[in-house]
């Protein structure tokens, strides 16, 4: 190859460039977990379960320690069978991943490219924007009505370029949900080639008769996917395990592009044991059923507005500047909650339902904060 002087100059100075769109991404900032003081905090910032994982899941995790030199089963066969048996699904249409994050990313990677659009809601889960931009596609935001998904607003934003709609139901960080009838209306209003991704990370917490996580629509349509996680009610966030229930053609696509061993053996073992321990899952759901309304009601008694939530967290609204001041106040009491300015909610904080003592501590601290704010 014969290089000119200008080629040589370019080679000396040019830096590698990522694909268009990547530099528009604001990196995801997870809920904080440490205090500057080094004190052990009450951590209510990442919607983790206060009950921890099932002891049976921990035992299953430990039981894999003797074989860490072995690759895991790349097809996650036993885990697929366990999920299929638990929910009455077709195992061939399940795809597992390193958290539902990975599955959402793979879906974006497979179905989005330059020139395409993907829709999500105004205060939808932050990852959606990241994975859309990563693949060179254009994020399209559908406004919500009173912090709730507005199906009409999503449908209005569909164009011939729309390829995917990402919908967290219930949504994080609002905690609101839409009924199965509304989800069905969304599906019916979308063109057939648009993939509807129902992200049901908090499904196990929902206690509403009109809610359905997505299994029904995946079973009856060819263009709907549901994602689930072991990070929330099952308490296995550290292990990174999620699953998607897909039309066969979509499962086949994901299986072509996922890493051949994308789920670790300890995650598979713990996930199966966690799912089988239905008593533990039920205890976690009951705990939430007891403390979610308590937390919301006690915070409202302080004069703060709380968005009605069906998940394991509440969104609390403060006045101008109030959220940052409240966050600092809580931190000084070693309580970490989640700022949600990145979600377009700079005046709100998201607070995860914790243990009884965590919940009482956060309410007591907010009461003192409000007294101070009034005084
Ligand atoms: C709505 C929603 N979807 C997906 C996820 C990702 O979960 P995972 O830990 O399975 O990657 C989260 C995590 O906070 C979430 O809130």
């Amino acid at each position: 190859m014969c290089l000119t002087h200008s080629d040589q100059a370019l080679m000396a100075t040019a830096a590698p460039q990522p694909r268009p769109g990547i530099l528009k991404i604001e990196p995801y900032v997870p809920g904080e977990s440490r205090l500057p003081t080094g004190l052990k905090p009450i951590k209510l910032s990442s919607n983790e379960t206060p009950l921890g994982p099932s002891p049976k899941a921990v035992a299953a995790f430990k039981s894999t320690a003797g074989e860490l030199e072995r690759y895991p089963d790349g097809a996650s066969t036993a885990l697929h069978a366990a999920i299929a048996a638990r929910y009455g699904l077709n195992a061939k249409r399940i795809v597992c991943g390193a958290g539902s994050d990975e599955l959402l990313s793979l879906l974006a990677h497979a179905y989005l490219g330059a020139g395409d659009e993907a829709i999500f809601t105004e205060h939808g889960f932050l990852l959606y924007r990241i994975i859309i931009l990563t693949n060179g596609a254009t994020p399209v935001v559908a406004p919500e009505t009173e912090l709730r998904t507005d199906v009409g607003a999503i449908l209005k934003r569909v164009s011939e370029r729309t390829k995917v709609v990402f919908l967290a139901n219930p949504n994080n960080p609002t905690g609101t949900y839409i009924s199965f009838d509304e989800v069905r209306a969304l599906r019916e209003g979308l063109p057939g080639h648009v993939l509807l991704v129902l992200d049901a990370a908090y499904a196990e917490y929902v206690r509403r008769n009109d809610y359905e996580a997505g299994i029904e629509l995946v079973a009856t349509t060819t263009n709907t996917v549901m994602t689930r996680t072991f990070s929330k009610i099952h308490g296995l966030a550290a292990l990174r395990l999620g699953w998607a229930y897909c039309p066969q053609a979509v499962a086949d696509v994901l299986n072509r592009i996922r890493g051949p061993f994308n789920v670790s053996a300890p995650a598979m073992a713990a996930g199966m044991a966690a799912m089988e321990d239905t008593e533990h899952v039920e205890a976690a759901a009951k705990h939430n059923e007891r403390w979610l309304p308590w937390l919301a009601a006690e915070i409202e008694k302080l004069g703060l507005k709380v968005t009605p939530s069906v998940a394991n967290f509440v969104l609390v609204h403060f006045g101008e500047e109030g959220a940052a001041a409240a966050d600092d106040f809580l931190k000084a009491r070693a309580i970490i909650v989640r700022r949600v300015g990145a979600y377009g909610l700079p005046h709100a904080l998201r607070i995860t339902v914790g243990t009884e003592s965590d919940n009482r501590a956060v309410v007591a601290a907010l009461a003192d904060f409000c007294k101070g704010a009034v005084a």
Side-chain angles (χ1 to χ4, degrees), residues 144-197:
E144 295 174 2
T145 304
E146 294 182 10
L147 302 180
R148 198 172 165 274
T149 294
D150 180 337
V151 168
I154 295 177
L155 292 177
K156 256 192 219 151
R157 279 155 186 82
V158 173
S159 76
E160 69 279 6
R161 295 175 170 223
T162 308
K163 294 286 161 50
V164 182
V165 173
F166 291 102
L167 179 67
N169 195 31
N171 184 43
N172 168 22
T174 56
T176 58
Y177 80 108
I178 59 171
S179 68
F180 182 45
D181 283 350
E182 289 170 280
V183 177
R184 196 176 7 219
L186 173 61
R187 178 65 275 174
E188 282 167 6
L190 291 171
H193 71 274
V194 174
L195 185 69
L196 174 60
V197 179

Side-chain angles (χ1 to χ4, degrees), residues 28 98-101 104 125 128 168 170 172 199 201-202 228-232 240-242:
Y28 182 87
S100 48
D101 278 357
L104 293 163
F125 184 42
Y128 306 149
N172 168 22
D199 172 351
Y202 300 95
R228 302 288 285 262
T229 183
F230 282 87
S231 301
K232 305 300 176 184
R240 314 305 303 126
L241 183 62

Side-chain angles (χ1 to χ4, degrees), residues 77-253:
T77 317
L79 178 59
H80 286 190
I83 296 170
R86 166 76 184 74
Y87 292 98
L89 307 178
N90 176 350
K92 293 202 181 80
R93 292 169 55 179
I94 295 169
V95 181
C96 291
S100 48
D101 278 357
E102 187 195 18
L103 296 161
L104 293 163
S105 299
L106 290 173
L107 286 164
H109 196 42
Y111 291 96
L112 292 174
D116 295 335
E117 294 176 355
I119 304 176
F120 56 92
T121 65
E122 190 179 355
H123 305 294
F125 184 42
L126 275 186
L127 184 79
Y128 306 149
R129 175 183 292 279
I130 295 174
I131 59 183
I132 294 164
L133 287 170
T134 301
N135 291 285
T138 304
V140 175
V141 178
E144 295 174 2
T145 304
E146 294 182 10
L147 302 180
R148 198 172 165 274
T149 294
D150 180 337
V151 168
I154 295 177
L155 292 177
K156 256 192 219 151
R157 279 155 186 82
V158 173
S159 76
E160 69 279 6
R161 295 175 170 223
T162 308
K163 294 286 161 50
V164 182
V165 173
F166 291 102
L167 179 67
N169 195 31
N171 184 43
N172 168 22
T174 56
T176 58
Y177 80 108
I178 59 171
S179 68
F180 182 45
D181 283 350
E182 289 170 280
V183 177
R184 196 176 7 219
L186 173 61
R187 178 65 275 174
E188 282 167 6
L190 291 171
H193 71 274
V194 174
L195 185 69
L196 174 60
V197 179
L198 299 172
D199 172 351
Y202 300 95
E204 294 87 350
Y205 288 109
V206 184
R207 291 288 186 263
R208 292 289 188 282
N209 291 335
D210 61 354
Y211 174 78
E212 206 279 320
I215 290 174
E216 177 88 23
L217 272 185
V218 180
T220 54
T221 66
T222 54
N223 39 23
T224 309
V225 169
M226 173 191 69
T227 57
R228 302 288 285 262
T229 183
F230 282 87
S231 301
K232 305 300 176 184
I233 207 158
H234 295 294
L236 297 176
L239 288 182
R240 314 305 303 126
L241 183 62
W243 56 281
Y245 193 47
C246 314
Q248 192 61 60
V250 177
D252 293 345
V253 165

Side-chain angles (χ1 to χ4, degrees), residues 293-306 363 367 370:
W294 183 89
L295 195 58
E298 292 298 316
I299 295 173
E300 280 188 328
K301 280 187 206 160
L302 304 174
L304 298 167
K305 191 166 172 285
V306 179
V363 168
C370 290

Side-chain angles (χ1 to χ4, degrees), residues 64-79:
T64 63
E67 287 209 335
L68 295 185
E69 76 284 8
R70 301 255 177 255
Y71 277 97
D73 169 16
S76 303
T77 317
L79 178 59

